[in-house]
Every structure is written in C-alpha cells, then in structure tokens.
Amino acid sequence: MHRHSCRSTLRRTAALGAAAVVVAVGSSALGVGAVAASAAEPIGLDETTTARSTTVAGTADSAPDATAEPHAADTTPVDAPDTVAPTATGSTTAGTPAPATTPTLTTTAAQPTVAATSAGSVTVSGTAKRLGTLTAETAGWPAGTTFTYQWLHSFDGGPLVPQSGETTERTFVIGSMEGSLDRYAVRVTGTAPGLEPTTVVSETSAPVDEAPGNRWGFLGVRSLDLRVGTSTSTPLSAFDGDGLVYSATDAPGADGNPFPLPDGLRLDPDGTLSGTPSRAQVVEFWLHTSSSIRPDGGEVSRVELVIAPGDTTSLNAVVRGSGTWLVRSDGSTEYSRSSEVQDGDPATPLRVRDGETVEVDLLTLDRNGDLNSDPRQPTWSSSVDADVLEPRSTGGTPVIDARLVGAGDHRITARLGDLTQTFTVQVGDARTTVATASTTLTQHPTTGSLAYTGVETGAPMGWALGLLAAGGGLFLHRARRRA
C-alpha cells in the first residue's frame, strides 16, 4: 500500500511541474491548447459549431518552483488523478485573464438525400369470377415509372394476405374454387428514374362470383371421334376462364410427363386440338389447366381420342371353306388350314369342291392398311352363272355365302365405289379336291408356326386377318358407341 502511494505522489508532482513549464512559456501556448481541446469535441447535426474556450487548471502564481527538489513535496497519499483535466473557465485561478482565443468554425458536409417517387394510384379491373382475370391499373405516376405487383387475398373481411410473390405481371387469375367470401387487392411499388420507390395498395375487389365456370373440366371426361386423314380443330378448353393454359400429360399429378400426342396432332396452349391424325388408335391423356394461381396445372381432366381408320383405299377378302385364304388387293393369296390353327402351306391354291359353299368376307382398308368400317355396301358377281352369291350381313364387314357350282375356275368380283377385288377359285370334283388337300397336308405337316406378323411373307395370315376383321368390328363398335 505504501509503495502504491509513493508512485501516485510522484506522478502528481511531475504533473504539477509540467503545468508550471507551460505557464512559463507564455499565453500563446495556452491558446494552442485551447484550440486542440475544442477540436476534440464531437460535431452535432448543425452545420456550424463554435469551439468552447478551455484552459488548464492552475497558473504561474500557484505553480510550484521549478527548481524545488522533487523529494520536498508532500508525501502524504492523495487519491488524485494521473492527469489534470482541462477546465472551461473565463480566467485563471489567480485572476489573470485567460488568453483570448479566436472561435473556430467547423462545417459538416450535408448528406445528399434522394426523394421518393411521387405516389400515383392503383385500381383493380376485371370481373371477379372463378378463373376470371384481374388487372392492376395504375394512374398518376411520374413518366418512366416502373412497377412491381403483389396480389393480396382477403377472406371474409380478414387481413390482406399475399397471394403471390412480387412480379412484373399486372394480371392475376382467380382460382376455380373461390367464392363470395373471397376478395382481392393488389400492392404496387412504383420507382421513377433516379428516385426512391413508393408503394400503394388498391381497394379490394368485389366478392368472387360463384357462378360455375366449369365447361366439362372438373374431373370430367371428354371423348373425341377422329378419323385418319381428316383434319380437325377442336377446342378442349375445360373451363370458362381468362388467361388459362392447357397441356397434355400422362398422369393427373403435377409430376406427370408430357404426353406425346398421336402423329399429326398437336395441343395449342389455348386448349385447341388440331391437325390430321395419320394412324388409327385409341389413346387417353390428362388435360391440365394452368393459371397464375396454379401454375403446375391444378385443374385436371381426362381426354379420350378414338381415331378411326381413314377412307377406303384397298379391298381384301377372306375366303373360308375347307381352309382359310387371305386374298390381297393385288390378287395374291395366303393359306391357313383354318382360322383357329396356325399351320398349313401358305402357297396352297384357293381350291374347293364342286357345290361347296364358302364364306367370303370383304375387308375395307385405309391407306395405312388399317381395317375401317365403310358404310357402303359392295356388289358381288361371279363369272359362272350357276354360282349363288347371297349376302349374309348388311352392316359392318360385308359377308356373303357363295355356292360354287361346276368344275373349273370361278372368278368372284366385289365392287365398292371405284374399287374392285377379283379372285379366282378353282372348283373341282370331290375326289380330285380331297386328294389334293390330302397331298398338301401330307407334304406340309403341322408345325405350330408363329402367327403372321407382316414381316415373313411365307407365314400363314388368312386366319389372323379374319381375327383382325373381328377385332376391327369391336373397335368400330366402340367408336360408334362413344359418338
């Protein structure tokens, strides 16, 4: 404790000695000290600040002798500060006037401020209805102002809640399930060139009209009958709304993949299905209706396309007797032992017994070889007057029962408009025909070959095309049922 008091005393003695030296030098030094002390003061918000006069506490009259021994000073411990703080006074302690100081003006540069954009107005236009479009209308803003919009929603008079993020799109599409408790407003932020942005909020819209905006789309199904080679332009817009965008996917969810429409067809964003299909088929896909409120296609409907074959361009015939023969439009034939057994020599000639009755089906095909349903009925004729040709059906695939009388070649002809199909049937007596058939079956035993695929011309196909006729009939019946 004693050692601490001695150090404090020595520091105090040294400080007083320094003060005496300052006074001895002259009043000019005090003037400099005053300016320095003034410069250390903080500057307020005023543009000009007058420095306050300051001087050191103590004068030459009260200063200790500079030649005095330092150890002669009082050694009693004193809690004095290590340094002497300047005191703002008008005179020295001994009454000596303080040195005059010149007030110093300090100027702070004004901070530049940017004015805010002059506020205009914003209103909401458009009919508040399900899937209707609302538009933000701005007026009274400075020239060159750019805008961002944020649409707000209020339910049953509650607070306005952001319905979308800020966007430069000034329109908004109301959802398909909104009702009379829903209202909308828009918050617009305008920024003029070189100015700060200003934000205003519109008045809320009228309640949403609950009148149904549904054409057929709420989980509905739309079936369309199309035809190969025939162009179409059919609107598939599922809802009565504004600004809607349509797309086709392979699944009802938002994670569905784009659906590849049949060749020749396309779906425009406005929901129009257009083009000319080139293949007969039945396809189904999901129709997504998108809007700004549901950009992922929240409204989903199902579409079925029944594409029927095109116009008839060729005729084929299937002859069923002791075997089954396919007769192509070029006159060539292919044989199968029956329509149920997939064997037999495809090159077996079309040969029947004298007096045998065979069934003849006329197949009408489009340009792609697809079986179609031609509403016209063909006319039949034979080169042998004794033959009896009796129609069995008057609708669908034309079928006749042909009783062939007399040995020799019988030419059977079917006419449909400008198209003809002619083929020759060899008619022999019973013994010759049976022997030939027996020989054919002996030389070509049953092998259980694969069904005809259209690639290997040597495979049996008459039976398969007969089944195709039956399948085509079902296809076309389905198409008519959906019509």
Short mmCIF file of all heavy atoms in Angstrom, two decimals, residues 133-162:
data_model
loop_
_atom_site.label_atom_id
_atom_site.label_comp_id
_atom_site.label_asym_id
_atom_site.label_seq_id
_atom_site.Cartn_x
_atom_site.Cartn_y
_atom_site.Cartn_z
N THR A 133 -59.85 -13.08 -64.84
CA THR A 133 -58.58 -12.37 -64.76
C THR A 133 -58.78 -10.97 -64.20
O THR A 133 -59.63 -10.22 -64.68
CB THR A 133 -57.93 -12.26 -66.15
OG1 THR A 133 -57.64 -13.58 -66.63
CG2 THR A 133 -56.62 -11.48 -66.08
N LEU A 134 -58.01 -10.63 -63.16
CA LEU A 134 -57.99 -9.28 -62.61
C LEU A 134 -56.74 -8.57 -63.11
O LEU A 134 -55.69 -9.20 -63.29
CB LEU A 134 -57.97 -9.33 -61.08
CG LEU A 134 -59.14 -10.06 -60.41
CD1 LEU A 134 -58.97 -10.06 -58.90
CD2 LEU A 134 -60.47 -9.43 -60.80
N THR A 135 -56.85 -7.26 -63.32
CA THR A 135 -55.74 -6.48 -63.86
C THR A 135 -55.50 -5.26 -62.99
O THR A 135 -56.44 -4.58 -62.58
CB THR A 135 -56.04 -6.03 -65.30
OG1 THR A 135 -56.31 -7.18 -66.11
CG2 THR A 135 -54.85 -5.29 -65.90
N ALA A 136 -54.22 -4.98 -62.69
CA ALA A 136 -53.84 -3.79 -61.92
C ALA A 136 -53.71 -2.61 -62.88
O ALA A 136 -52.94 -2.66 -63.85
CB ALA A 136 -52.52 -4.04 -61.19
N GLU A 137 -54.49 -1.55 -62.61
CA GLU A 137 -54.48 -0.35 -63.45
C GLU A 137 -53.84 0.79 -62.67
O GLU A 137 -54.34 1.19 -61.62
CB GLU A 137 -55.91 0.03 -63.86
CG GLU A 137 -56.69 -1.07 -64.55
CD GLU A 137 -56.24 -1.33 -65.96
OE1 GLU A 137 -55.35 -0.58 -66.45
OE2 GLU A 137 -56.75 -2.28 -66.59
N THR A 138 -52.71 1.33 -63.17
CA THR A 138 -52.00 2.42 -62.50
C THR A 138 -52.28 3.74 -63.21
O THR A 138 -52.48 3.78 -64.42
CB THR A 138 -50.49 2.15 -62.48
OG1 THR A 138 -50.04 1.92 -63.83
CG2 THR A 138 -50.17 0.93 -61.64
N ALA A 139 -52.29 4.83 -62.43
CA ALA A 139 -52.53 6.16 -62.99
C ALA A 139 -51.87 7.21 -62.09
O ALA A 139 -51.74 7.00 -60.87
CB ALA A 139 -54.03 6.43 -63.11
N GLY A 140 -51.46 8.33 -62.69
CA GLY A 140 -50.94 9.46 -61.94
C GLY A 140 -49.50 9.32 -61.49
O GLY A 140 -49.05 10.11 -60.66
N TRP A 141 -48.76 8.36 -61.99
CA TRP A 141 -47.36 8.18 -61.60
C TRP A 141 -46.46 8.97 -62.55
O TRP A 141 -46.83 9.25 -63.70
CB TRP A 141 -46.99 6.72 -61.64
CG TRP A 141 -47.72 5.88 -60.64
CD1 TRP A 141 -49.00 5.38 -60.76
CD2 TRP A 141 -47.25 5.44 -59.37
NE1 TRP A 141 -49.34 4.66 -59.66
CE2 TRP A 141 -48.30 4.67 -58.77
CE3 TRP A 141 -46.07 5.61 -58.66
CZ2 TRP A 141 -48.17 4.08 -57.53
CZ3 TRP A 141 -45.94 5.02 -57.41
CH2 TRP A 141 -46.97 4.27 -56.84
N PRO A 142 -45.24 9.34 -62.10
CA PRO A 142 -44.33 10.08 -62.98
C PRO A 142 -43.99 9.28 -64.25
O PRO A 142 -44.05 8.03 -64.26
CB PRO A 142 -43.08 10.28 -62.11
CG PRO A 142 -43.57 10.15 -60.70
CD PRO A 142 -44.69 9.17 -60.73
N ALA A 143 -43.63 10.01 -65.28
CA ALA A 143 -43.26 9.35 -66.54
C ALA A 143 -42.04 8.46 -66.33
O ALA A 143 -41.11 8.81 -65.60
CB ALA A 143 -42.96 10.40 -67.61
N GLY A 144 -42.05 7.33 -66.95
CA GLY A 144 -40.92 6.40 -66.86
C GLY A 144 -40.93 5.52 -65.62
O GLY A 144 -39.97 4.77 -65.40
N THR A 145 -41.99 5.59 -64.82
CA THR A 145 -42.05 4.77 -63.60
C THR A 145 -42.19 3.29 -63.96
O THR A 145 -42.98 2.93 -64.83
CB THR A 145 -43.23 5.20 -62.72
OG1 THR A 145 -43.06 6.57 -62.34
CG2 THR A 145 -43.31 4.34 -61.46
N THR A 146 -41.42 2.45 -63.30
CA THR A 146 -41.55 1.00 -63.46
C THR A 146 -42.26 0.44 -62.24
O THR A 146 -42.15 0.97 -61.14
CB THR A 146 -40.18 0.33 -63.62
OG1 THR A 146 -39.37 0.64 -62.49
CG2 THR A 146 -39.49 0.82 -64.89
N PHE A 147 -42.99 -0.68 -62.43
CA PHE A 147 -43.85 -1.19 -61.38
C PHE A 147 -43.57 -2.67 -61.11
O PHE A 147 -43.20 -3.43 -62.00
CB PHE A 147 -45.33 -1.05 -61.77
CG PHE A 147 -45.76 0.37 -62.02
CD1 PHE A 147 -45.85 0.86 -63.32
CD2 PHE A 147 -46.06 1.21 -60.97
CE1 PHE A 147 -46.25 2.16 -63.56
CE2 PHE A 147 -46.45 2.51 -61.19
CZ PHE A 147 -46.55 3.00 -62.49
N THR A 148 -43.76 -3.05 -59.86
CA THR A 148 -43.88 -4.45 -59.48
C THR A 148 -45.20 -4.61 -58.74
O THR A 148 -45.68 -3.67 -58.09
CB THR A 148 -42.72 -4.91 -58.57
OG1 THR A 148 -42.69 -4.10 -57.39
CG2 THR A 148 -41.39 -4.83 -59.31
N TYR A 149 -45.77 -5.83 -58.85
CA TYR A 149 -47.10 -6.06 -58.31
C TYR A 149 -47.06 -7.27 -57.37
O TYR A 149 -46.34 -8.24 -57.59
CB TYR A 149 -48.10 -6.32 -59.43
CG TYR A 149 -48.11 -5.26 -60.51
CD1 TYR A 149 -47.25 -5.36 -61.61
CD2 TYR A 149 -48.96 -4.17 -60.43
CE1 TYR A 149 -47.25 -4.39 -62.60
CE2 TYR A 149 -48.97 -3.20 -61.42
CZ TYR A 149 -48.11 -3.31 -62.51
OH TYR A 149 -48.11 -2.36 -63.49
N GLN A 150 -47.88 -7.19 -56.33
CA GLN A 150 -48.09 -8.33 -55.45
C GLN A 150 -49.58 -8.41 -55.13
O GLN A 150 -50.16 -7.49 -54.56
CB GLN A 150 -47.28 -8.19 -54.15
CG GLN A 150 -47.39 -9.42 -53.25
CD GLN A 150 -46.50 -9.32 -52.03
OE1 GLN A 150 -46.52 -8.31 -51.34
NE2 GLN A 150 -45.72 -10.35 -51.76
N TRP A 151 -50.18 -9.54 -55.53
CA TRP A 151 -51.62 -9.69 -55.35
C TRP A 151 -51.91 -10.19 -53.95
O TRP A 151 -51.21 -11.05 -53.42
CB TRP A 151 -52.18 -10.63 -56.41
CG TRP A 151 -52.20 -9.97 -57.76
CD1 TRP A 151 -51.24 -10.00 -58.71
CD2 TRP A 151 -53.24 -9.14 -58.27
NE1 TRP A 151 -51.59 -9.24 -59.79
CE2 TRP A 151 -52.83 -8.70 -59.55
CE3 TRP A 151 -54.47 -8.72 -57.78
CZ2 TRP A 151 -53.62 -7.87 -60.34
CZ3 TRP A 151 -55.26 -7.89 -58.58
CH2 TRP A 151 -54.82 -7.47 -59.84
N LEU A 152 -52.97 -9.63 -53.38
CA LEU A 152 -53.33 -9.90 -52.00
C LEU A 152 -54.74 -10.49 -51.94
O LEU A 152 -55.60 -10.18 -52.78
CB LEU A 152 -53.28 -8.61 -51.18
CG LEU A 152 -52.00 -7.77 -51.32
CD1 LEU A 152 -52.18 -6.42 -50.64
CD2 LEU A 152 -50.81 -8.53 -50.75
N HIS A 153 -54.98 -11.32 -50.93
CA HIS A 153 -56.26 -12.02 -50.79
C HIS A 153 -56.83 -11.77 -49.40
O HIS A 153 -56.10 -11.82 -48.39
CB HIS A 153 -56.05 -13.52 -51.02
CG HIS A 153 -57.26 -14.35 -50.68
ND1 HIS A 153 -57.40 -14.99 -49.48
CD2 HIS A 153 -58.37 -14.63 -51.41
CE1 HIS A 153 -58.56 -15.64 -49.48
NE2 HIS A 153 -59.16 -15.44 -50.63
N SER A 154 -58.11 -11.50 -49.34
CA SER A 154 -58.80 -11.32 -48.07
C SER A 154 -59.97 -12.29 -48.01
O SER A 154 -60.77 -12.37 -48.95
CB SER A 154 -59.31 -9.88 -47.92
OG SER A 154 -60.10 -9.76 -46.74
N PHE A 155 -60.06 -13.04 -46.91
CA PHE A 155 -61.14 -13.99 -46.75
C PHE A 155 -62.10 -13.50 -45.67
O PHE A 155 -61.69 -13.26 -44.53
CB PHE A 155 -60.59 -15.37 -46.37
CG PHE A 155 -61.65 -16.43 -46.18
CD1 PHE A 155 -62.26 -17.02 -47.27
CD2 PHE A 155 -62.07 -16.80 -44.91
CE1 PHE A 155 -63.24 -17.98 -47.12
CE2 PHE A 155 -63.05 -17.75 -44.73
CZ PHE A 155 -63.64 -18.35 -45.85
N ASP A 156 -63.34 -13.33 -46.05
CA ASP A 156 -64.40 -12.96 -45.12
C ASP A 156 -64.04 -11.69 -44.35
O ASP A 156 -64.24 -11.60 -43.13
CB ASP A 156 -64.67 -14.12 -44.16
CG ASP A 156 -66.02 -13.95 -43.44
OD1 ASP A 156 -66.84 -13.15 -43.90
OD2 ASP A 156 -66.21 -14.63 -42.41
N GLY A 157 -63.51 -10.70 -45.05
CA GLY A 157 -63.19 -9.42 -44.43
C GLY A 157 -61.94 -9.43 -43.59
O GLY A 157 -61.65 -8.45 -42.89
N GLY A 158 -61.16 -10.50 -43.62
CA GLY A 158 -59.94 -10.59 -42.83
C GLY A 158 -58.82 -9.78 -43.44
O GLY A 158 -58.99 -9.05 -44.42
N PRO A 159 -57.62 -9.88 -42.85
CA PRO A 159 -56.48 -9.11 -43.35
C PRO A 159 -56.06 -9.54 -44.74
O PRO A 159 -56.34 -10.68 -45.18
CB PRO A 159 -55.38 -9.41 -42.32
CG PRO A 159 -55.76 -10.75 -41.75
CD PRO A 159 -57.26 -10.76 -41.72
N LEU A 160 -55.39 -8.64 -45.43
CA LEU A 160 -54.89 -8.95 -46.77
C LEU A 160 -53.63 -9.80 -46.64
O LEU A 160 -52.68 -9.41 -45.97
CB LEU A 160 -54.59 -7.66 -47.54
CG LEU A 160 -55.82 -6.83 -47.94
CD1 LEU A 160 -55.38 -5.48 -48.50
CD2 LEU A 160 -56.68 -7.59 -48.95
N VAL A 161 -53.64 -10.91 -47.31
CA VAL A 161 -52.52 -11.86 -47.25
C VAL A 161 -51.94 -12.00 -48.65
O VAL A 161 -52.69 -12.17 -49.63
CB VAL A 161 -52.99 -13.23 -46.73
CG1 VAL A 161 -51.84 -14.24 -46.73
CG2 VAL A 161 -53.59 -13.09 -45.34
N PRO A 162 -50.61 -11.94 -48.80
CA PRO A 162 -50.02 -12.10 -50.14
C PRO A 162 -50.45 -13.42 -50.77
O PRO A 162 -50.38 -14.48 -50.16
CB PRO A 162 -48.51 -12.07 -49.86
CG PRO A 162 -48.37 -11.29 -48.59
CD PRO A 162 -49.57 -11.64 -47.77
#
